[in-house]
Amino acid sequence: MACFLVPAAEAVVITVIKKSVKKKEISKINLKSDDGVPDIKTETGLSWSRKLNWLTNLLWGGVFLLAIEHIWHGEVVLRPPFLTAMNNPENIAPMLHEIATVGVSMAIFVTAIWSVMVLVSDYLYKTTAAFKHAMGEE
Amino acid sequence: MYLLITFFAAIIATIVWYVQMPKDPYKVSTLSFMYWGASLMWLVDGFFCIAEGEPFLEMSFKDALLGFTAVICGLIAWMTILLVKGDKINFFYK
């Protein structure tokens, strides 16, 4: 009914955090170019703004396509109150239940997958860097 | 059905992104993440459908049409992002 609202709320929060992190990284890192974007590499690996960018892309992308699906099924309309469940008081409780169960699960699941992705990419980055370093020494 | 179609679109976009790595001139990563995000969310929705006694996937023409609509909407959103973010030259001429 409106399960995508929870990932949408998370996407808003993460986007704000990402912009804040990006500003901090720009101030810390010496930019090699003048394009205003922090370099991909930091001393510890991939930058956090890039990692958070993956999460915001996952969340906003998912929310957008789920909104299309909800419009398709007539659960969301492009006029107030936007959610068709809001027109009937009997449907409000099931809608809130779905938001609390399916919506929260979606947000947690996407964030969990992103966490695994961050761990794997950090591991690959470190091993590749170590590999390149070893090759350079040889 | 739309989960399957979006899932395959996500795999194709990821392969294209992987081939272009480390450069990503057309921001295929954005398209890939969009499809993966939707696939993961619909996967969770599918598990809840099973818990409620409904089928995980509905194999109907209408659902397939929704899947293709979602893929096309993803492509349109990706092209819009490319244009808005100032990659017009890359997008049209490169």
Side-chain angles (χ1 to χ4, degrees), chain A residues 35-55:
Chain A
D35 59 358
V37 178
D39 296 325
I40 297 167
K41 292 176 185 176
T42 62
E43 287 179 5
T44 53
L46 294 166
S47 69
W48 269 103
S49 61
R50 172 168 280 229
K51 290 170 189 169
L52 289 171
N53 196 43
W54 297 341
L55 182 58

Side-chain angles (χ1 to χ4, degrees), chain B residues 6-53:
Chain B
T6 316
F7 181 72
F8 282 120
I11 289 172
I12 291 165
T14 307
I15 290 168
V16 174
W17 177 28
Y18 185 79
V19 168
Q20 289 185 341
M21 267 188 205
K23 292 178 182 176
D24 188 15
Y26 302 108
K27 311 274 184 207
V28 184
S29 57
T30 306
L31 183 67
S32 173
F33 280 121
M34 196 185 294
Y35 291 146
W36 278 119
S39 300
L40 293 173
M41 288 180 195
W42 278 326
L43 191 69
V44 172
D45 197 33
F47 288 133
F48 274 92
C49 284
I50 293 172
E52 289 167 6

Side-chain angles (χ1 to χ4, degrees), chain A residues 4-87:
Chain A
F4 67 96
L5 291 180
V6 180
E10 187 191 350
V12 171
V13 173
I14 300 295
T15 303
V16 172
I17 292 171
K18 184 187 82 177
K19 290 196 174 178
S20 166
V21 169
K22 198 174 180 180
K23 270 186 187 174
K24 282 181 186 171
E25 283 177 350
I26 286 172
S27 64
K28 279 182 185 174
I29 299 168
N30 292 323
L31 295 175
K32 288 176 184 170
S33 58
D34 295 327
D35 59 358
V37 178
D39 296 325
I40 297 167
K41 292 176 185 176
T42 62
E43 287 179 5
T44 53
L46 294 166
S47 69
W48 269 103
S49 61
R50 172 168 280 229
K51 290 170 189 169
L52 289 171
N53 196 43
W54 297 341
L55 182 58
T56 53
N57 281 343
L58 276 172
L59 290 168
W60 281 122
V63 165
F64 173 67
L65 294 183
L66 258 77
I68 301 281
E69 184 237 309
H70 282 71
I71 292 169
W72 180 280
H73 286 134
E75 293 168 353
V76 172
V77 287
L78 299 175
R79 61 181 184 281
F82 301 108
L83 303 169
T84 46
M86 295 291 280
N87 290 328

Side-chain angles (χ1 to χ4, degrees), chain A residues 86-126:
Chain A
M86 295 291 280
N87 290 328
N88 188 354
E90 285 179 3
N91 289 337
I92 293 174
M95 182 189 75
L96 293 174
H97 181 258
E98 194 186 297
I99 289 172
T101 52
V102 184
V104 171
S105 302
M106 281 176 176
I108 291 170
F109 188 62
V110 170
T111 311
I113 295 289
W114 169 77
S115 305
V116 172
M117 195 182 153
V118 166
L119 289 173
V120 170
S121 63
D122 269 346
Y123 173 76
L124 286 174
Y125 180 85
K126 281 173 188 170

Side-chain angles (χ1 to χ4, degrees), chain B:
Chain B
M1 189 70 178
Y2 48 84
L3 167 63
L4 272 183
I5 292 168
T6 316
F7 181 72
F8 282 120
I11 289 172
I12 291 165
T14 307
I15 290 168
V16 174
W17 177 28
Y18 185 79
V19 168
Q20 289 185 341
M21 267 188 205
K23 292 178 182 176
D24 188 15
Y26 302 108
K27 311 274 184 207
V28 184
S29 57
T30 306
L31 183 67
S32 173
F33 280 121
M34 196 185 294
Y35 291 146
W36 278 119
S39 300
L40 293 173
M41 288 180 195
W42 278 326
L43 191 69
V44 172
D45 197 33
F47 288 133
F48 274 92
C49 284
I50 293 172
E52 289 167 6
E54 293 173 27
F56 182 74
L57 289 172
E58 277 186 32
M59 296 291 185
S60 66
F61 175 73
K62 203 179 169 184
D63 265 27
L65 203 61
L66 172 58
F68 288 116
T69 307
V71 170
I72 290 166
C73 286
L75 282 169
I76 292 168
W78 167 65
M79 286 178 194
T80 310
I81 290 166
L82 275 184
L83 290 170
V84 170
K85 289 201 170 177
D87 290 344
K88 295 183 189 79
I89 295 169
N90 278 351
F91 185 69
F92 287 115
Y93 300 112
K94 218 168 180 183

